[in-house]
Amino acid sequence: MTDKAADSSAREAEDKDRHPLAMETLVSLCAARGFVYPASEIYSGIAGFWDYGPLGVELKNNLKARWWNLVVRGRDDVVGIDSAIISHPRTWEASGHVDHFSDPMVDCRSCNKRYRADQYEGGRCSKAPKDHPTGECDLTEAREFNLMLRTELGASADTAIMAYLRPETCQPIFSGFKRVREAARQKLPFGIAQIGKAFRNEITPRNFTFRSREFEQAEMEFFCHPSEREEWFAHWREERLQFHLDLGIDEKLLRTRPHADDELAHYARAAEDVEFLFPFGWQEIEGIHDRGDWDLSRHSEYSGKDLAITDEKTKEHFTPMVIETSVGIDRTCLALLVAAYCEESVEGGETRKVMRFHPAIAPIKVAVLPLSKKLAEPAKAIQRDLRKHLNAFYDDSGNIGRRYRRQDEVGTPFCVTYDFDSESDGCVTIRDRDTMDQERVPIEGIVRRLRDRLEEGL
Ligand code: GAP
């Protein structure tokens, strides 16, 4: 079993600290407003798979763009790639996933369900104790269960090759290390990054999107000289924590936690998690790992191609060390949704729900709302102008108060209202989501004004 997974699930059960939000509240808002909902919902869903709706995909894309801009485009020493999801099967022998990437599982002979052994202890299967004469479950011995998802390549069953859907996105970075370094003319220290799908056949997917079978990772592998690994580990740990703080997540909801020696993954020499306080306790959203020379050495051995490098000045021939940053896009989206959710009393004893997203990741940046449908034409012209620069939404149905509430609930930072005076004074009202303050401003120059206000929060 992956030590890391066992430890994490034990803590999932034990953690006393919890975010006060009820998960059901968030799950139903996410489905109703089109953030995230079960995949194949009309067939009762499929465990561990989720679809992102119109707002969810914007949130996710904004998060990925922010990561890419900061980690790849914002630095001279990191380059990006986009590799195939399926690698040569030897990749996963070399990486250690064929031998080490497993959890112990038990089967119940009564209900034919499979449980993770570490999560089952003290629990009961669905048939116990009512249908059991002894009140006990009839469990098999624990067996190792590899978490990689398999598929077959080729038309005929006899000649098909078995392949794996990648359980982490980083392995093609290691196998392509030499090609990318030469093509990008990079010298140590430097990093290679990519964002993409990963798949794990989790025995018990749970906690909404937190533990899924298909998810996205944004990973960066930083290659350095062995003498610099501690320095780069410390650098990336600080950078990555700051990334989450800069997303507007309250510092009380974030912490870092170093791994004890007995919880390290098979490839790691040291690791530190960035954890978020979810309604189900403190849990990892990102891992920073010192992978040493594990991956490059193993791929050299299994492929027969030398992935070590020679320092031009010193002529030293060595295998670079790797510091990895690996953030789950879905887990971070979930953390952002939890952190943003807010209910507050407003005038008249009403309660309003607000998603207080940081403007950079808010799915919709501005909503254009004419006071009356009669004003649709000029209001739509403003939206057309705005959408060249920002994700601008238009809504003219229902009374204005209700339309403001709808935008609050999906976290739109600003609403622009076109009213009956706008025609004569050439002005509109900008309403701020958080303060609900309204400001009358000229239509001319509104794009710049909104962009400035959005950037104020960046
Ligand atoms: N390459 C290293 C690696 O994959 P990991 O800690 O197993 O390390 C990194 O995964 C990140 O991927 C985690 O911090 C988490 O955010 C995300 N992740 C891992 N398993 C996941 C799952 N079953 N569902 C959703 N996200 C997951």
Side-chain angles (χ1 to χ4, degrees), residues 307-328:
L307 298 178
I309 63 166
T310 305
D311 187 298
E312 280 170 21
K313 283 197 199 120
T314 63
K315 303 296 171 217
E316 182 190 2
H317 190 67
F318 65 96
T319 303
M321 298 286 149
V322 172
I323 305 302
E324 170 183 74
T325 70
S326 175
V327 61

Side-chain angles (χ1 to χ4, degrees), residues 137-363:
C137 305
D138 187 9
L139 297 179
T140 61
E141 286 295 305
R143 280 177 291 151
E144 286 300 316
F145 174 77
N146 194 290
L147 297 185
M148 282 195 291
L149 275 162
R150 294 171 184 208
T151 188
E152 283 183 354
L153 308 177
S156 130
D158 303 338
T159 56
I161 302 171
M162 203 270 297
Y164 298 102
L165 302 187
R166 64 185 179 200
E168 57 178 8
T169 58
C170 59
Q171 289 306 323
I173 292 180
F174 300 125
S175 54
F177 166 70
K178 196 164 183 287
R179 162 75 65 200
V180 177
R181 185 174 69 86
E182 286 169 6
R185 296 193 297 117
Q186 285 284 351
K187 291 196 173 68
L188 290 194
F190 82 100
I192 306 177
Q194 82 163 324
I195 300 178
K197 291 273 189 178
F199 303 82
R200 295 183 189 177
N201 198 5
E202 299 283 358
I203 301 169
T204 44
R206 60 177 173 176
N207 286 330
F208 197 19
T209 56
F210 180 82
R211 194 175 294 288
S212 306
R213 288 178 166 145
E214 175 180 338
F215 53 95
E216 261 182 297
Q217 292 182 317
E219 298 201 299
M220 192 280 314
E221 310 302 318
F222 200 78
F223 302 90
C224 64
H225 187 272
S227 62
E228 295 177 344
R229 53 200 284 215
E230 279 169 20
E231 188 190 316
W232 282 111
F233 187 89
H235 168 86
W236 283 109
R237 186 187 50 215
E238 296 314 311
E239 287 279 307
R240 298 310 304 148
L241 178 62
Q242 195 57 46
F243 174 83
H244 296 282
L245 290 166
D246 289 347
L247 289 174
I249 300 179
D250 189 327
E251 62 183 354
K252 290 194 206 76
L253 300 178
L254 285 171
R255 71 178 187 192
T256 54
R257 191 185 67 82
H259 280 209
D261 286 349
D262 63 356
E263 21 159 357
L264 291 173
H266 65 269
Y267 52 74
R269 295 188 182 187
E272 191 146 336
D273 288 344
V274 178
E275 294 190 333
F276 176 81
L277 187 61
F278 285 100
F280 42 87
W282 285 104
Q283 285 298 317
E284 170 190 350
I285 54 175
E286 170 151 8
I288 295 101
H289 308 124
D290 177 346
R291 297 181 75 118
D293 61 353
W294 165 267
D295 303 274
L296 291 183
S297 298
R298 295 273 292 195
H299 285 299
S300 292
E301 182 189 334
Y302 279 69
S303 67
K305 311 276 184 329
D306 184 12
L307 298 178
I309 63 166
T310 305
D311 187 298
E312 280 170 21
K313 283 197 199 120
T314 63
K315 303 296 171 217
E316 182 190 2
H317 190 67
F318 65 96
T319 303
M321 298 286 149
V322 172
I323 305 302
E324 170 183 74
T325 70
S326 175
V327 61
I329 295 296
D330 307 81
R331 281 193 189 177
T332 307
C333 280
L334 185 56
L336 290 169
L337 286 160
V338 170
Y341 188 93
C342 172
E343 279 185 29
E344 60 184 27
S345 303
V346 287
E347 270 178 31
E350 213 193 314
T351 303
R352 79 164 180 148
K353 285 185 196 157
V354 200
M355 294 301 277
R356 293 190 188 275
F357 290 125
H358 185 290
I361 50 132

